[in-house]
Amino acid sequence: MQDKQQYKPADIERAAQQHWDATQAFRVQADASKPKYYCLSMFPYPSGKLHMGHVRNYTIGDVLSRFHKMKGYNVLQPMGWDAFGLPAENAAIKNKVPPAKWTYDNIAYMKQQLKSLGFAIDWSRELATCTPEYYKWNQWLFLRMLEKGIAERKTQVVNWDPVDQTVLANEQVIDGRGWRTGALVEKREIPGYYLKITDYADELLSDLDELTGWPERVKLMQANWIGKSTGVRFAFKHDIADDAGPINDGKLWVFTTRADTIMGVTFCAVAAEHPLALHAAKGNPELAAFIEKCKHGSVMEADMATMEKEGLPTGLFVTHPLTGKQVEVWVGNYVLMSYGDGAVMGVPAHDERDFAFAKKYGIAIKQVVALGDKPYSLDAWQEWYGSKDGTCINSGKYDGLGYEAAVDAIAADLAAQGVGEKKVQWRLRDWGISRQRYWGCPIPIIHCDSCGSVPVPDDQLPVVLPEDCVPDGSGNPLNKRDDFLACTCPSCGKPARRETDTMDTFVDSSWYYARYATTFGADKMVDDETNYWMTVDQYIGGIEHAILHLLYSR
Ligand code: ANZ
Ligand code: ZN
């Protein structure tokens, strides 16, 4: 009888792994004599235990890495931890342990799981975004952006839980109510920090053409996200005033992509947060209640498109710039305050949303574009909708003009009155990076009663996050930490208060790939080693991850 050969993974794999460890088999450095291969897997969130998705993802990366190593490449396969974020705070509320402890425990456990899988990882480059060595560079880069004017402080709308007196993340709002308190969530305006990605909108859009190897539909999603829209911005004049004088200087601005339909305007609609809506609500409890209700509604565009159109008249009128006629202003729940000017010219004959609104409230519908040679019917209209075919009718001097000629003529007439011009409008918003959360990278700003918001000087970086707070759900625990809050103003030396907002975790995960490639422990954000390894040759992560980045970079 022959000896049965048995595969004993525990023995064999341990021996191989110990050998790799002892010889530092996967530890790599820049080496100009070899071609390099940088294989980057999406870094995990330390949620507790690895799941099969991790194993699948990292196995693919490992196969590619080993294959290239055998082919003679200098292969970098790093690993690290996307370690800040809300789940750690939720776990803290539930288990009463500091998020730091929960996170570091999870990292230790998951690291040992990863190690037992025997991946060809250069562990000497391991990083965790919640460590001061890492997030110092978030702070440093933020300060550089502040200097360049591409980071700024401005007001932002947040979800406010009136019972817990705290800001909620979108995912903590369930059916319009706070996840813990069940209280109706309000939209509040508070100061926040933004990165001006809109300054780069043109570049972001045109450089999509240079991306190779991405599916067209992904590029299209990106383009739609950036959302370049060419149209006309113009104003309806009015003399609606409050004690401080005419509201918005007596002009109701709107943005339209269909200036050719301007003679078909039968109403205007403004967002619930628009100054005219707020003004009208002062003497109108019904309108005030409606505005209050809208505040709890969605601001997601997808929801806006499908939800039941609702509105109320304000009783206010503005003047049509080309006909001189009075046009009634309505408040409409389908008008977004955050897009364009937060107001629209209502053209029910040609805009789907305006049509639904006008039908519901008995507002006049006036056709001003001939739909080819077809009579005006719902079918013909649906077929035409969104197209730029057809010529102006019922439009006085613009009759007979096609889309472009009509837009040119109308824009010129508006410009001659000083109330309008052609405009490119972007859907892309500046990236709001501040969160009113504890478990994140502190924003390096100091508030001084005399000097205002003052940047923390570089030699005081990193601003270290205390790791022993246990959030209880009622607001950011940093607000109760005097040892964190108290500081001196870098500019006048008087006692001042530290900013308690932290950065969105997408700031952390937007540059970790560069840090892996940097000399370990370098006292620079990136260095020559980074130049050697960059760019990433192969990224392995769910498309979900890429899409999440897109969705949250609002
Ligand atoms: C009148 C009109 C007539 C429009 C027509 C369209 C078709 P995009 O392409 O997405 O830029 N709009 C403008 N600001 C808005 C806001 N804050 N909230 C909701 N809707 C808004 O869409 C531009 C069109 O969306 C604009 O052109 C305006 O409606 C509407 F036959 O003006 B349009
Ligand atoms: Zn000061």
Side-chain angles (χ1 to χ4, degrees), residues 72-294:
Y73 285 83
N74 192 21
V75 176
L76 171 58
Q77 180 173 227
M79 188 52 68
W81 310 95
D82 189 5
F84 272 139
L86 205 53
E89 292 194 41
N90 294 344
I93 295 170
K94 208 169 132 217
N95 309 321
K96 304 194 167 43
V97 286
K101 174 162 172 37
W102 183 84
T103 303
Y104 288 120
D105 286 352
N106 289 349
I107 288 176
Y109 189 82
M110 290 168 74
K111 181 172 177 181
Q112 154 260 313
Q113 286 186 303
L114 276 176
K115 284 213 141 184
S116 71
L117 283 160
F119 293 137
I121 288 168
D122 180 353
W123 283 105
S124 74
R125 294 170 184 263
E126 178 185 3
L127 59 80
T129 56
C130 63
T131 57
E133 303 85 78
Y134 184 83
Y135 64 66
K136 171 182 177 176
W137 301 108
N138 282 1
Q139 297 174 343
W140 180 86
L141 187 63
F142 174 83
L143 293 172
R144 299 292 82 74
M145 294 200 208
L146 211 58
E147 284 163 8
K148 291 256 181 220
I150 51 177
E152 64 175 358
R153 189 167 190 248
K154 61 183 181 187
T155 62
Q156 59 181 354
V157 179
V158 296
N159 304 310
W160 179 254
D161 185 320
V163 172
D164 262 352
Q165 297 279 305
T166 191
V167 175
L168 299 178
N170 284 337
E171 56 270 31
Q172 294 175 320
V173 182
I174 297 154
D175 294 332
R177 290 173 184 275
W179 67 307
R180 273 166 36 86
T181 62
L184 273 179
V185 169
E186 294 166 15
K187 296 205 169 59
R188 274 222 182 164
E189 275 204 28
I190 61 167
Y193 298 85
Y194 284 81
L195 301 186
K196 282 206 223 160
I197 55 175
T198 50
D199 281 5
Y200 300 87
D202 256 316
E203 219 177 304
L204 285 168
L205 187 63
S206 60
D207 284 3
L208 281 179
D209 295 338
E210 285 169 33
L211 276 188
T212 50
W214 283 86
E216 276 312 312
R217 71 192 159 82
V218 174
K219 291 206 223 176
L220 186 66
M221 271 177 55
Q222 265 283 17
N224 288 341
W225 184 256
I226 298 166
K228 183 176 187 173
S229 183
T230 315
V232 174
R233 178 177 185 256
F234 73 93
F236 293 80
K237 287 193 183 166
H238 61 73
D239 47 23
I240 306 158
D242 58 17
D243 299 340
I247 291 170
N248 294 138
D249 284 336
K251 287 181 186 131
L252 170 61
W253 289 96
V254 299
F255 173 72
T256 178
T257 47
R258 295 304 302 244
D260 60 318
T261 65
I262 196 169
M263 304 305 262
V265 171
T266 55
F267 68 101
C268 283
V270 299
E273 302 90 337
H274 192 280
L276 281 186
L278 301 179
H279 175 71
K282 280 181 202 156
N284 183 340
E286 195 193 354
L287 186 59
F290 177 69
I291 290 172
E292 197 50 38
K293 186 175 147 203
C294 289

Side-chain angles (χ1 to χ4, degrees), residues 413-447:
D413 288 347
L414 292 167
Q417 291 187 45
V419 289
E421 59 188 359
K422 286 194 180 174
K423 176 161 189 214
V424 175
Q425 178 73 49
W426 299 88
R427 178 150 273 108
L428 187 71
R429 296 274 82 101
D430 282 334
W431 179 12
I433 59 153
S434 46
R435 300 287 177 271
Q436 295 68 41
R437 298 268 140 225
Y438 157 60
W439 190 234
C441 165
I443 292 179
I445 294 285
I446 287 170
H447 300 290

